[in-house]
mmCIF file of all heavy atoms in Angstrom:
data_model
loop_
_atom_site.group_PDB
_atom_site.id
_atom_site.type_symbol
_atom_site.label_atom_id
_atom_site.label_comp_id
_atom_site.label_asym_id
_atom_site.label_seq_id
_atom_site.Cartn_x
_atom_site.Cartn_y
_atom_site.Cartn_z
ATOM 1 N N LEU K 191 -17.491 20.314 15.368
ATOM 2 C CA LEU K 191 -17.788 20.124 13.951
ATOM 3 C C LEU K 191 -17.993 18.637 13.690
ATOM 4 O O LEU K 191 -17.103 17.835 13.989
ATOM 5 C CB LEU K 191 -16.546 20.612 13.215
ATOM 6 C CG LEU K 191 -16.710 21.264 11.872
ATOM 7 C CD1 LEU K 191 -15.574 22.220 11.649
ATOM 8 C CD2 LEU K 191 -16.748 20.234 10.792
ATOM 9 N N THR K 192 -19.151 18.262 13.196
ATOM 10 C CA THR K 192 -19.334 16.863 12.801
ATOM 11 C C THR K 192 -19.177 16.786 11.290
ATOM 12 O O THR K 192 -19.466 17.745 10.572
ATOM 13 C CB THR K 192 -20.726 16.334 13.202
ATOM 14 O OG1 THR K 192 -21.708 17.297 12.809
ATOM 15 C CG2 THR K 192 -20.818 16.075 14.686
ATOM 16 N N LEU K 193 -18.719 15.633 10.846
ATOM 17 C CA LEU K 193 -18.371 15.480 9.431
ATOM 18 C C LEU K 193 -18.775 14.089 8.971
ATOM 19 O O LEU K 193 -18.637 13.120 9.725
ATOM 20 C CB LEU K 193 -16.850 15.607 9.351
ATOM 21 C CG LEU K 193 -16.195 16.189 8.107
ATOM 22 C CD1 LEU K 193 -16.754 17.569 7.801
ATOM 23 C CD2 LEU K 193 -14.681 16.274 8.322
ATOM 24 N N GLY K 194 -19.254 13.988 7.749
ATOM 25 C CA GLY K 194 -19.586 12.672 7.201
ATOM 26 C C GLY K 194 -20.016 12.797 5.758
ATOM 27 O O GLY K 194 -20.001 13.896 5.180
ATOM 28 N N LYS K 195 -20.405 11.675 5.189
ATOM 29 C CA LYS K 195 -20.934 11.692 3.822
ATOM 30 C C LYS K 195 -22.407 12.070 3.921
ATOM 31 O O LYS K 195 -23.159 11.419 4.666
ATOM 32 C CB LYS K 195 -20.744 10.318 3.185
ATOM 33 C CG LYS K 195 -21.034 10.323 1.723
ATOM 34 C CD LYS K 195 -20.321 9.230 0.991
ATOM 35 C CE LYS K 195 -18.990 9.707 0.418
ATOM 36 N NZ LYS K 195 -18.309 8.666 -0.341
ATOM 37 N N PRO K 196 -22.840 13.124 3.225
ATOM 38 C CA PRO K 196 -24.235 13.578 3.366
ATOM 39 C C PRO K 196 -25.243 12.499 2.983
ATOM 40 O O PRO K 196 -25.040 11.789 1.991
ATOM 41 C CB PRO K 196 -24.336 14.749 2.378
ATOM 42 C CG PRO K 196 -22.939 15.149 2.080
ATOM 43 C CD PRO K 196 -22.073 13.945 2.286
ATOM 44 N N ALA K 197 -26.305 12.370 3.789
ATOM 45 C CA ALA K 197 -27.375 11.434 3.441
ATOM 46 C C ALA K 197 -28.204 12.002 2.296
ATOM 47 O O ALA K 197 -28.776 11.270 1.505
ATOM 48 C CB ALA K 197 -28.267 11.188 4.659
ATOM 49 N N GLY K 198 -28.258 13.329 2.189
ATOM 50 C CA GLY K 198 -28.962 13.962 1.071
ATOM 51 C C GLY K 198 -27.962 14.587 0.111
ATOM 52 O O GLY K 198 -26.817 14.161 0.036
ATOM 53 N N LYS K 199 -28.434 15.631 -0.588
ATOM 54 C CA LYS K 199 -27.553 16.274 -1.569
ATOM 55 C C LYS K 199 -27.111 17.638 -1.062
ATOM 56 O O LYS K 199 -27.804 18.274 -0.283
ATOM 57 C CB LYS K 199 -28.314 16.467 -2.885
ATOM 58 C CG LYS K 199 -28.295 15.224 -3.736
ATOM 59 C CD LYS K 199 -28.606 15.582 -5.181
ATOM 60 C CE LYS K 199 -30.024 15.212 -5.479
ATOM 61 N NZ LYS K 199 -30.713 15.681 -6.552
ATOM 62 N N HIS K 200 -25.955 18.088 -1.545
ATOM 63 C CA HIS K 200 -25.568 19.481 -1.296
ATOM 64 C C HIS K 200 -26.422 20.357 -2.203
ATOM 65 O O HIS K 200 -26.678 19.999 -3.343
ATOM 66 C CB HIS K 200 -24.107 19.698 -1.700
ATOM 67 C CG HIS K 200 -23.126 19.129 -0.737
ATOM 68 N ND1 HIS K 200 -22.739 19.781 0.400
ATOM 69 C CD2 HIS K 200 -22.453 17.969 -0.752
ATOM 70 C CE1 HIS K 200 -21.861 19.040 1.049
ATOM 71 N NE2 HIS K 200 -21.669 17.937 0.370
ATOM 72 N N GLY K 201 -26.856 21.483 -1.703
ATOM 73 C CA GLY K 201 -27.611 22.386 -2.579
ATOM 74 C C GLY K 201 -27.010 23.762 -2.464
ATOM 75 O O GLY K 201 -26.052 23.962 -1.710
ATOM 76 N N PRO K 202 -27.571 24.733 -3.174
ATOM 77 C CA PRO K 202 -27.041 26.093 -3.065
ATOM 78 C C PRO K 202 -27.333 26.688 -1.688
ATOM 79 O O PRO K 202 -28.387 26.396 -1.114
ATOM 80 C CB PRO K 202 -27.809 26.860 -4.149
ATOM 81 C CG PRO K 202 -29.049 26.067 -4.378
ATOM 82 C CD PRO K 202 -28.727 24.637 -4.072
ATOM 83 N N VAL K 203 -26.414 27.462 -1.162
ATOM 84 C CA VAL K 203 -26.697 28.152 0.109
ATOM 85 C C VAL K 203 -27.771 29.206 -0.150
ATOM 86 O O VAL K 203 -27.914 29.696 -1.276
ATOM 87 C CB VAL K 203 -25.437 28.826 0.726
ATOM 88 C CG1 VAL K 203 -24.363 27.817 1.003
ATOM 89 C CG2 VAL K 203 -24.926 29.946 -0.154
ATOM 90 N N ARG K 204 -28.530 29.527 0.870
ATOM 91 C CA ARG K 204 -29.533 30.591 0.755
ATOM 92 C C ARG K 204 -29.100 31.732 1.657
ATOM 93 O O ARG K 204 -28.937 31.535 2.861
ATOM 94 C CB ARG K 204 -30.904 30.084 1.193
ATOM 95 C CG ARG K 204 -31.510 29.072 0.238
ATOM 96 C CD ARG K 204 -32.759 28.439 0.825
ATOM 97 N NE ARG K 204 -33.352 27.475 -0.073
ATOM 98 C CZ ARG K 204 -32.879 26.236 -0.259
ATOM 99 N NH1 ARG K 204 -31.793 25.827 0.394
ATOM 100 N NH2 ARG K 204 -33.474 25.413 -1.084
ATOM 101 N N ARG K 205 -28.911 32.883 1.060
ATOM 102 C CA ARG K 205 -28.516 34.065 1.821
ATOM 103 C C ARG K 205 -29.351 35.243 1.351
ATOM 104 O O ARG K 205 -30.086 35.155 0.387
ATOM 105 C CB ARG K 205 -27.015 34.386 1.586
ATOM 106 C CG ARG K 205 -26.063 33.233 1.893
ATOM 107 C CD ARG K 205 -25.882 33.019 3.393
ATOM 108 N NE ARG K 205 -24.912 31.963 3.657
ATOM 109 C CZ ARG K 205 -25.222 30.725 4.073
ATOM 110 N NH1 ARG K 205 -26.481 30.394 4.293
ATOM 111 N NH2 ARG K 205 -24.290 29.840 4.286
ATOM 112 N N ARG K 206 -29.151 36.373 2.034
ATOM 113 C CA ARG K 206 -29.834 37.600 1.580
ATOM 114 C C ARG K 206 -29.187 38.087 0.281
ATOM 115 O O ARG K 206 -28.028 37.771 0.019
ATOM 116 C CB ARG K 206 -29.726 38.654 2.666
ATOM 117 C CG ARG K 206 -30.634 38.319 3.819
ATOM 118 C CD ARG K 206 -30.560 39.330 4.911
ATOM 119 N NE ARG K 206 -31.710 39.146 5.763
ATOM 120 C CZ ARG K 206 -32.863 39.801 5.612
ATOM 121 N NH1 ARG K 206 -33.016 40.690 4.668
ATOM 122 N NH2 ARG K 206 -33.860 39.562 6.428
ATOM 123 N N PRO K 207 -29.916 38.864 -0.515
ATOM 124 C CA PRO K 207 -29.321 39.359 -1.759
ATOM 125 C C PRO K 207 -28.090 40.226 -1.482
ATOM 126 O O PRO K 207 -28.001 40.880 -0.445
ATOM 127 C CB PRO K 207 -30.441 40.225 -2.374
ATOM 128 C CG PRO K 207 -31.674 39.891 -1.629
ATOM 129 C CD PRO K 207 -31.288 39.325 -0.303
ATOM 130 N N MET K 208 -27.159 40.216 -2.432
ATOM 131 C CA MET K 208 -25.945 41.026 -2.283
ATOM 132 C C MET K 208 -26.249 42.496 -1.995
ATOM 133 O O MET K 208 -25.513 43.153 -1.273
ATOM 134 C CB MET K 208 -25.133 40.976 -3.586
ATOM 135 C CG MET K 208 -24.220 39.796 -3.704
ATOM 136 S SD MET K 208 -23.379 39.855 -5.308
ATOM 137 C CE MET K 208 -22.094 41.044 -4.960
ATOM 138 N N THR K 209 -27.328 42.997 -2.603
ATOM 139 C CA THR K 209 -27.648 44.428 -2.412
ATOM 140 C C THR K 209 -27.868 44.781 -0.937
ATOM 141 O O THR K 209 -27.739 45.928 -0.547
ATOM 142 C CB THR K 209 -28.921 44.808 -3.188
ATOM 143 O OG1 THR K 209 -29.920 43.830 -2.914
ATOM 144 C CG2 THR K 209 -28.658 44.887 -4.674
#
Side-chain angles (χ1 to χ4, degrees):
L191 213 153
T192 47
L193 211 55
K195 190 155 266 182
K199 277 200 257 163
H200 285 278
V203 300
R204 291 171 180 77
R205 305 285 183 255
R206 287 180 164 267
M208 275 178 80
T209 48

